[in-house]
Amino acid sequence: MERDLLPYLSYLAEMTDDIVIQLRILCKGDPEVVYISGSVNQVLGYDPASFIGNPSLLRCILPLDEYTILTGGSLERTGNVHIFHCTAADGNVKTIRSQTVVSRDPGSGDLILSGTWRDITETERAERAFAREEYVTRILPNLFCINDANGRITDWNPGAEAITGYSPDEAIGLERGFFYRAGDQDAVREEIAAAIRERQVFTREAVVARKDGLERIVYSIFIPLYTPDDRFAGSVDIAHDLTIDKQREKELISRDRILEAVGYAASCSLSNSDWESRIDTVIRGLGEAADASRAYLYVIDWRGNLPGAWLKGEWAAPGISAGKPDHLDGTIYGKALPLLLSGKTIAGPLRDLGSFGELVTKACPGTQSILLVPIIVQENLSGFIGFDECRFERVWSQPEIQALEIAGRIIAAAMKRDSDHRTLAESEARFRRIFEHGPVGIVLAGPDYMIMEANPAFSRMIGYSRDELLFFSFRDITHPDDIPGNERGIMDLMQGKMPIYRTQKRYIRKGGSVFWADVTVAPVAIPEGKGYIAMIRDISLRKEAEQRLAESEEMHRSFLQHFHGIVYRFVEGEPVFLHGAVPEITGYRSDEIGSGNPSWSMLIHPADATGIIERYNILYDTPGDRFSADYRILRRDGSLRWVHEVIKHRIGEDGRSIIEASIFDITRRREMEEALSWSNEKLNLLQSVTRHDIFNQLNILSAYTELMKDKITDPQASEYCAGLEATIERIHRIAAFTQDYQKIGVHGPAWQDLRSVINRGFDTRNPEGITLENEMPEYELYADPLLEKVIYNLVDNSCKYGGNAVSRFHISCREKDGDLLILIEDDGEGIDPTLQPHLFEYGVGRGTGLGLFLISEILSITDIGISASPGTLGGACFEIRVPEGGWRAGVYNTSRAS
């Protein structure tokens, strides 16, 4: 069957340039080329013989998906036309259109393909190019129109409609170039005619008059078209819209002009410390560069309830009135004030700016557009630059706005620099005042640790003058034991391991003495490199206080360790401290007493409990109260113990109620006192009996003396009898003195209200015609219960020996060196100077000399001294000196001494 077709295939090959081919499609295996014409050499570059018997070559030149067409079972169903993309011998891909007929070999069952392969590569490329050009023509934003030889438009793309506003239906059939501005159309026609004559492409910038009346700037290209025989066939008009580019170019030119003015503003504002003196020049340059009608600068004043603004500079173009108000009151802006103070740029025609635009129009008639650029200093609105346009409604371009915002930032930088300069100057002045007059020592040292500066406070601390300190390093004035640690700390500071270095160290003064200081060191940059500044505070007193406190705490610990009593503290009724010999005194553990099982009140003997608990209740209700008492307690084993308790109620610094007390076991002392009291009672009884017998014998002797006086007539004997009577009287007074003297020390000393004691002693003597002037404040004395007898005797002494001139008895006091001085004065005749040094000795005085001696003895029980001297009232003055610890200010709820 193959051989039957070969003559026909050879003939066909002679008649066409196409590749004539016959293929056998085997049931199994690759397709085989049975015949291929010599055209394959011109189309694909292969020798026809290379295909015969070489099935792999066909596989190499066809893509896999196209090769499978020849091997699949669908050839009979897919028809006889296919497109193959064959790889030529030179590597180029050729597009081949295959048109074949399909038959089947009856003997083998193989398919036989016979037909032609035509090279359509160029045709396909041309079709793609045409389709692409048509597509590009339709989607390009450029104007693209085709004109016939008569100058009429035959094709009009969407880009042309976008630029001119005319649809294809409106434009097709019109004269080419109808869309150019009327004033330019004649010139365009002449230039097009010249281009046609000279067979040249014509280009120019032109203005398109849109259908809506607006104008667009375009770059126009006119291309004449000719037939092969050089006849004019028509033309193509292409126009590219330059309007946006021209607008951007204009904006950039304006921006560059503004930036040039901004550069001048920067040189004026940032290089000159007094920028305000040149602000008018800066505002003028910005206004002219921005081609504005007016330019001005306002600075915000935030001091009032509503912010206002002050005019700092203004410029107006020729023909435009200036006269912006010097001050803008915030109240006139009303609802528009938040927009003005928002810190954002405000730009545009006033009619587009709402209420703010209305207010500007009202304040500045004739203004059509405005641009306000905020001046932000440290995130705060400090002012704004304004630009008014009065000639037309102006839409400010973004480059112009950005350039003018740069100007705003430059002026803000100048304002901030001035503010920083003022702040720095104030800070330096403040630091200088602190440095010169502050109580803290300040030292500046260099990287070599040499002192570069020191303030007067440190000079006073260290004892060296500033000039002397400049020759020292810190090592020279630091205690040797503190130098190593100090050096390590400063080294860590300099290496950035810590932001500040703080320590306590010892300095050596000029005289060699040492003082403690708290030192804070921080790094500081100096011309010589990295130095440091030290703040030095003298803490010697604090160190001494800490030492004393430590000693006190140690003493307190030692006291508590060796204390044989009980101390406790209650805060707001809750026990917080209980220490001492609780088991030894009570028989109970400390935790039992502390938890209230049993409570201390339960231990008090029933015979003493009523009075003590009643006194407790009074103390609990009376802050500042205190008392002491002796009473009995019952131990765990039922035995009795006498205790002495001192308790007080105070208010702490935090306002809470605090009860503090100490309790001592006085059982042994009470036993000794009872034994001593029993002995004293026996002695007193003996003294009383003896004194009674003496009084009886003196009475008998006095009676006999009276009888003798009646019998004696001899004058000398009468004189002897009178002496005998005086002796009897003296013996009687001495015996009476022993009665008073034996009472001294019988009862223990007690705290007594001094003012009350004085009043009672004076009232008991009740001297006629003498006034008591008691100026004694509220003091208590720790003295023998016979203190009232002291006052009585002193009043009695003044009455007896002060003469008839005594009319005032004045008592006052003052504190001196921890002692209390009590002054008791009268306005009588005074004291005989010869008796004054021995006035309180036994037997000295005008009388028996026993009254003042008794006073001295009573006071000496508690180490109270007494002396006499001339008084300020002209009479006698008795000075009672009470030592520290024997008196206290304030009257407490203590019972009267018995």
Side-chain angles (χ1 to χ4, degrees):
M1 183 175 181
E2 296 168 0
R3 293 187 180 87
D4 294 341
L5 293 176
L6 287 180
Y8 298 100
L9 295 177
S10 299
Y11 174 77
L12 181 60
E14 293 177 1
M15 300 299 296
T16 181
D17 293 331
D18 297 339
I19 300 174
V20 179
I21 189 170
Q22 186 180 70
L23 297 174
R24 174 179 287 273
I25 309 302
L26 302 177
C27 293
K28 295 182 180 180
D30 295 330
E32 295 179 354
V33 177
V34 177
Y35 172 84
I36 191 166
S37 66
S39 298
V40 73
N41 191 14
Q42 286 77 32
V43 175
L44 296 179
Y46 292 100
D47 183 11
S50 61
F51 285 91
I52 306 302
N54 185 15
S56 63
L57 181 58
L58 193 62
R59 189 187 312 119
C60 290
I61 67 173
L62 287 173
L64 179 61
D65 57 337
E66 296 177 1
Y67 181 74
T68 57
I69 294 174
L70 301 179
T71 60
S74 60
L75 272 175
E76 292 181 282
R77 297 191 300 271
T78 58
N80 57 2
V81 178
H82 298 90
I83 301 297
F84 296 123
H85 296 84
C86 300
T87 303
D90 59 4
N92 291 323
V93 176
K94 298 285 187 169
T95 302
I96 303 298
R97 183 173 181 271
S98 171
Q99 187 171 2
T100 59
V101 293
V102 181
S103 59
R104 185 174 294 276
D105 187 344
S108 63
D110 297 334
L111 292 179
I112 305 299
L113 271 67
S114 303
T116 61
W117 282 8
R118 176 172 293 179
D119 183 3
I120 61 171
T121 303
E122 295 300 326
T123 303
E124 184 186 48
R125 183 179 295 114
E127 289 176 351
R128 286 201 303 269
F130 179 79
R132 184 168 56 251
E133 288 171 1
E134 184 178 11
Y135 173 75
V136 170
T137 300
R138 295 301 171 193
I139 67 169
L140 276 179
N142 294 337
L143 180 152
F144 186 90
C145 70
I146 300 176
N147 312 304
D148 61 16
N150 296 321
R152 298 293 175 179
I153 298 174
T154 60
D155 197 3
W156 186 259
N157 76 333
E161 182 178 1
I163 292 176
T164 66
Y166 293 95
S167 67
D169 293 339
E170 294 173 314
I172 293 175
L174 297 179
E175 182 183 359
R176 66 169 173 247
F178 77 93
F179 45 80
Y180 291 115
R181 187 171 56 185
D184 296 340
Q185 287 186 6
D186 292 340
V188 171
R189 287 191 188 99
E190 292 178 1
E191 292 174 349
I192 289 175
I196 293 173
R197 288 193 306 268
E198 299 173 6
R199 299 174 178 269
Q200 290 182 351
V201 176
F202 157 68
T203 62
R204 66 166 292 169
E205 282 188 9
V207 178
V208 172
R210 283 176 52 84
K211 181 180 178 180
D212 56 12
L214 298 178
E215 294 182 344
R216 308 290 288 183
I217 303 173
V218 298
Y219 179 75
S220 178
I221 304 175
F222 174 79
I223 305 174
L225 301 176
Y226 299 91
T227 63
D229 55 357
D230 290 338
R231 286 183 297 108
F232 177 69
S235 62
V236 175
D237 278 318
I238 302 174
H240 175 66
D241 192 347
L242 299 178
T243 306
I244 295 176
D245 294 338
K246 288 293 184 180
Q247 181 63 31
R248 288 176 179 171
E249 181 180 355
K250 181 180 178 182
E251 292 173 356
L252 293 177
I253 292 172
S254 176
R255 182 203 64 183
D256 293 342
R257 187 170 61 248
I258 294 172
L259 288 177
E260 184 177 352
V262 168
Y264 176 76
S267 64
C268 291
S269 302
L270 300 180
S271 62
N272 187 350
S273 58
D274 186 16
W275 67 275
E276 293 187 24
S277 64
R278 306 183 70 178
I279 193 62
D280 287 334
T281 304
V282 170
I283 294 299
R284 176 179 179 178
L286 292 174
E288 290 177 343
D291 192 21
S293 299
R294 265 192 302 264
Y296 43 88
L297 170 65
Y298 277 97
V299 176
I300 301 293
D301 182 4
W302 292 95
R303 291 174 295 182
N305 293 330
L306 284 176
W310 291 95
L311 183 65
K312 285 292 184 181
E314 182 184 15
W315 167 85
I320 303 297
S321 61
K324 280 284 185 180
D326 290 336
H327 181 258
L328 297 179
D329 189 349
T331 58
I332 69 174
Y333 285 95
K335 296 181 180 179
L337 188 61
L339 176 62
L340 184 63
L341 302 180
S342 65
K344 298 179 180 179
T345 299
I346 304 172
L350 295 182
R351 61 184 175 86
D352 296 337
L353 297 179
S355 58
F356 178 76
E358 293 174 2
L359 287 171
V360 174
T361 302
K362 184 178 179 180
C364 301
T367 304
Q368 298 191 48
S369 296
I370 193 169
L371 171 61
L372 293 181
V373 176
I375 299 174
I376 308 296
V377 179
Q378 294 180 337
E379 300 183 358
N380 295 316
L381 180 65
S382 299
F384 55 85
I385 314 172
F387 300 89
D388 293 349
E389 183 54 69
C390 305
R391 298 164 294 186
F392 53 88
E393 282 194 348
R394 179 173 181 177
V395 178
W396 301 84
S397 68
Q398 197 61 31
E400 291 173 327
I401 293 174
Q402 292 172 350
L404 292 173
E405 286 176 340
I406 294 174
R409 290 195 289 271
I410 289 173
I411 294 177
M415 295 173 68
K416 181 179 182 301
R417 182 199 60 193
D418 282 4
S419 175
D420 291 345
H421 284 174
R422 287 193 299 271
T423 303
L424 179 60
E426 293 170 358
S427 176
E428 289 177 347
R430 187 163 53 250
F431 175 77
R432 179 53 59 182
R433 288 194 299 271
I434 294 173
F435 187 85
E436 294 294 339
H437 306 293
V440 177
I442 303 175
V443 173
L444 178 66
D448 56 355
Y449 304 143
M450 292 297 294
I451 296 175
M452 302 175 64
E453 189 61 81
N455 72 335
F458 185 69
S459 294
R460 290 192 295 270
M461 289 181 195
I462 201 71
Y464 292 100
S465 68
R466 173 189 173 279
D467 294 338
E468 291 175 318
L469 286 171
L470 298 183
F471 291 96
F472 293 144
S473 73
F474 85 90
R475 298 184 186 91
D476 300 325
I477 53 177
T478 299
H479 192 282
D481 294 344
D482 297 338
I483 290 177
N486 206 181
E487 287 182 337
R488 285 193 300 271
I490 293 179
M491 184 62 67
D492 290 343
L493 181 70
M494 294 306 180
Q495 293 175 353
K497 296 181 180 179
M498 60 179 74
I500 61 171
Y501 166 58
R502 186 168 183 178
T503 187
Q504 292 182 0
K505 57 180 284 189
R506 288 164 290 182
Y507 282 97
I508 302 174
R509 292 191 177 95
K510 186 175 183 178
S513 61
V514 174
F515 72 94
W516 277 94
D518 183 273
V519 184
T520 302
V521 186
V524 62
I526 58 176
E528 292 79 5
K530 182 181 289 187
Y532 65 89
I533 186 170
M535 312 290 285
I536 302 157
R537 185 162 53 91
D538 189 341
I539 58 171
S540 298
L541 295 178
R542 191 181 81 188
K543 281 291 186 179
E544 293 175 3
E546 290 173 352
Q547 179 64 27
R548 289 195 297 271
L549 178 61
E551 294 173 354
S552 173
E553 291 176 347
E554 179 61 31
M555 182 175 66
H556 180 66
R557 283 193 296 269
S558 177
F559 168 75
L560 292 179
Q561 290 172 356
H562 300 88
F563 181 62
H564 298 295
I566 301 172
V567 290
Y568 69 85
R569 175 183 295 163
F570 279 66
V571 177
E572 294 292 337
E574 295 295 328
V576 297
F577 182 77
L578 178 65
H579 184 82
V582 177
E584 292 81 354
I585 295 176
T586 68
Y588 294 95
R589 299 191 309 273
S590 297
D591 61 323
E592 293 177 311
I593 300 295
S595 63
N597 185 28
S599 67
W600 184 262
S601 299
M602 296 172 62
L603 301 181
I604 302 176
H605 192 280
D608 301 332
T610 301
I612 296 299
I613 293 176
E614 180 181 351
R615 190 64 187 84
Y616 278 161
N617 294 332
I618 295 173
L619 179 129
Y620 296 156
D621 296 336
T622 312
D625 190 13
R626 67 174 69 189
F627 77 91
S628 60
D630 296 346
Y631 56 87
R632 291 163 290 176
I633 63 169
L634 293 172
R635 286 171 47 84
R636 183 192 285 270
D637 58 8
S639 60
L640 288 177
R641 285 287 181 96
W642 276 93
V643 296
H644 175 76
E645 181 176 13
V646 179
I647 184 170
K648 65 179 180 179
H649 181 184
R650 67 182 180 89
I651 302 299
E653 294 181 357
D654 56 359
R656 295 191 296 174
S657 173
I658 301 175
I659 305 296
E660 296 174 326
S662 59
I663 300 172
F664 302 90
D665 186 345
I666 59 170
T667 304
R668 179 62 178 164
R669 192 191 78 187
R670 291 288 297 196
E671 292 173 350
M672 294 176 64
E673 287 177 350
E674 289 176 359
L676 180 61
S677 177
W678 182 73
S679 299
N680 285 338
E681 286 179 1
K682 291 193 294 183
L683 289 174
N684 289 338
L685 178 61
L686 177 62
Q687 290 176 359
S688 297
V689 171
T690 303
R691 194 164 42 251
H692 185 268
D693 291 342
I694 291 174
F695 283 153
N696 287 337
Q697 296 301 317
L698 287 175
N699 289 335
I700 294 171
L701 184 60
S702 295
Y704 281 121
T705 304
E706 286 294 327
L707 294 174
M708 288 175 60
K709 287 170 58 178
D710 295 338
K711 303 294 183 180
I712 295 174
T713 58
D714 184 4
Q716 187 172 4
S718 296
E719 183 177 347
Y720 290 155
C721 188
L724 180 61
E725 286 180 332
T727 300
I728 292 171
E729 178 63 23
R730 183 174 180 82
I731 294 173
H732 193 278
R733 287 198 297 270
I734 291 173
F737 169 75
T738 61
Q739 185 176 3
D740 288 336
Y741 193 78
Q742 76 177 24
K743 298 177 183 178
I744 299 175
V746 172
H747 299 286
W751 287 102
Q752 303 174 58
D753 178 10
L754 184 56
R755 186 179 181 86
S756 299
V757 169
I758 292 172
N759 289 335
R760 291 197 302 270
F762 184 84
D763 293 342
T764 301
R765 178 60 177 79
N766 193 21
E768 184 178 355
I770 299 179
T771 302
L772 173 63
E773 299 174 355
N774 188 355
E775 296 183 358
M776 184 62 58
E778 294 183 345
Y779 282 100
E780 284 190 335
L781 257 64
Y782 187 71
D784 191 272
L786 291 176
L787 180 62
E788 187 176 316
K789 182 69 173 177
V790 172
I791 303 300
Y792 176 91
N793 281 359
L794 289 174
V795 175
D796 183 67
N797 186 78
S798 294
C799 294
K800 288 180 178 180
Y801 308 114
N804 296 328
V806 178
S807 63
R808 297 168 59 193
F809 199 72
H810 183 265
I811 301 179
S812 62
C813 71
R814 69 176 187 274
E815 298 175 14
K816 181 179 180 181
D817 299 331
D819 297 342
L820 180 67
L821 302 183
I822 304 171
L823 304 178
I824 304 174
E825 301 180 82
D826 63 41
D827 57 352
E829 296 179 355
I831 302 172
D832 184 353
T834 60
L835 297 177
Q836 185 173 318
H838 311 287
L839 195 59
F840 297 97
E841 296 177 5
Y842 181 82
V844 177
R846 298 180 186 178
T848 61
L850 299 178
L852 296 180
F853 173 70
L854 179 62
I855 289 172
S856 177
E857 290 296 302
I858 292 173
L859 295 176
S860 66
I861 294 294
T862 51
D863 296 328
I864 300 175
I866 185 169
S867 61
S869 62
T872 59
L873 302 179
C877 175
F878 295 98
E879 180 181 282
I880 299 176
R881 179 179 290 270
V882 185
E884 184 176 5
W887 62 277
R888 65 190 182 193
V891 176
Y892 301 88
N893 296 327
T894 54
S895 60
R896 175 180 173 182
S898 60

